[in-house]
Amino acid sequence: MSSQDLPSGYEGLRVGFTAAVSHELRTPLAEVVEMTQLVDDILFLSELEQGREVVALGFTEIAPYVQEVFEESRERALRAELALESDVPAGIVVPMRPRMLLVLLGNLLDNALRYAGRGATFRITARLEGGNVVLEISDDGAGVDPADVPRLFERFFRSDRSRTTRGTGLGLAIVKHIVGAADGTAEVDGNVGEGTRFRFVLPAPRETRII
């Protein structure tokens, strides 16, 4: 296939992909599995950037997908000694496709599994507030340096503490992109020894009722 035959936008994706891979290859711990995950995450971000419809196509109830993510990570959480809790009433929905909700929840749980530390608790809560859904996801683990908080959603950003932990550095960037594409807002705060807290505010359909 010649460069003239490539689909629109491919060159930009190729350049971005090459830069991202080059960045990761400079990390001594990079291995095949990590590179595969890196490729998956970069391509997923490129999919998100195609437009809002990729994320916000209809509404999805939160509670069943919280349980699905918990079940999928149950053994890993046991090994990490991370307790999983949720307070998500039935009937609360968010403006995104099920796949996007699973990615959002899964990436945040993965973040806690990597960094919260043994004995921590990971908790998901959701409520209706002023015509919006407030989704809060937190842990009471190792926390994060306040100086790093403003950069947590940046692509490839890793705090000094997390540099020894494997990962693509794209999980939280993907989370923020999903929330933004669903017309929501994302906030994060935390402190060393006090855990990390993510807060997402998303529009709720007017017919939403808590069961």
Side-chain angles (χ1 to χ4, degrees):
M1 180 183 288
S2 69
S3 59
Q4 289 83 5
D5 296 325
L6 294 173
S8 175
Y10 177 87
E11 184 62 16
L13 175 59
R14 184 189 64 79
V15 171
F17 173 79
T18 302
V21 170
S22 297
H23 177 283
E24 188 69 8
L25 282 173
R26 289 195 293 270
T27 303
L29 293 177
E31 295 176 356
V32 173
V33 172
E34 292 177 72
M35 291 302 297
T36 300
Q37 184 60 56
L38 177 64
V39 171
D40 288 344
D41 283 353
I42 291 172
L43 293 179
F44 187 73
L45 271 173
S46 73
E47 180 182 350
L48 293 179
E49 289 166 354
Q50 297 304 308
R52 182 179 180 277
E53 65 276 5
V54 172
V55 174
L57 186 63
F59 287 85
T60 301
E61 185 176 358
I62 302 173
Y65 293 95
V66 169
Q67 295 308 311
E68 181 174 336
V69 167
F70 278 8
E71 286 304 315
E72 289 178 353
S73 299
R74 188 74 63 185
E75 291 186 9
R76 189 178 169 201
L78 286 172
R79 291 195 299 270
E81 298 180 20
L82 181 73
L84 305 178
E85 296 183 355
S86 68
D87 182 10
V88 181
I92 296 184
V93 300
V94 287
M96 62 183 67
R97 294 162 53 194
R99 177 191 176 202
M100 298 299 165
L101 180 58
L102 282 172
V103 170
L104 183 150
L105 297 173
N107 281 0
L108 289 165
L109 177 51
D110 182 74
N111 188 72
L113 285 165
R114 291 178 185 276
Y115 307 126
R118 297 188 180 280
T121 298
F122 176 83
R123 183 174 177 80
I124 300 177
T125 67
R127 64 182 184 276
L128 291 176
E129 186 176 286
N132 294 311
V133 173
V134 177
L135 177 63
E136 296 181 332
I137 301 178
S138 63
D139 68 74
D140 59 1
V144 61
D145 188 326
D148 291 335
V149 168
R151 301 190 62 192
L152 289 181
F153 288 122
E154 291 182 12
R155 298 182 185 190
F156 298 116
F157 175 74
R158 294 182 183 180
S159 66
D160 290 339
R161 177 175 58 84
S162 66
R163 291 183 189 278
T164 58
T165 303
R166 298 182 181 184
T168 66
L170 291 172
L172 296 182
I174 288 173
V175 166
K176 186 174 183 180
H177 205 118
I178 289 174
V179 172
D183 290 336
T185 60
E187 300 175 356
V188 58
D189 68 86
N191 206 340
V192 176
E194 298 179 5
T196 309
R197 295 165 294 279
F198 296 88
R199 185 175 189 269
F200 309 107
V201 179
L202 297 141
R206 281 179 290 181
E207 66 271 16
T208 297
R209 296 289 185 274
I210 297 178
I211 299 174

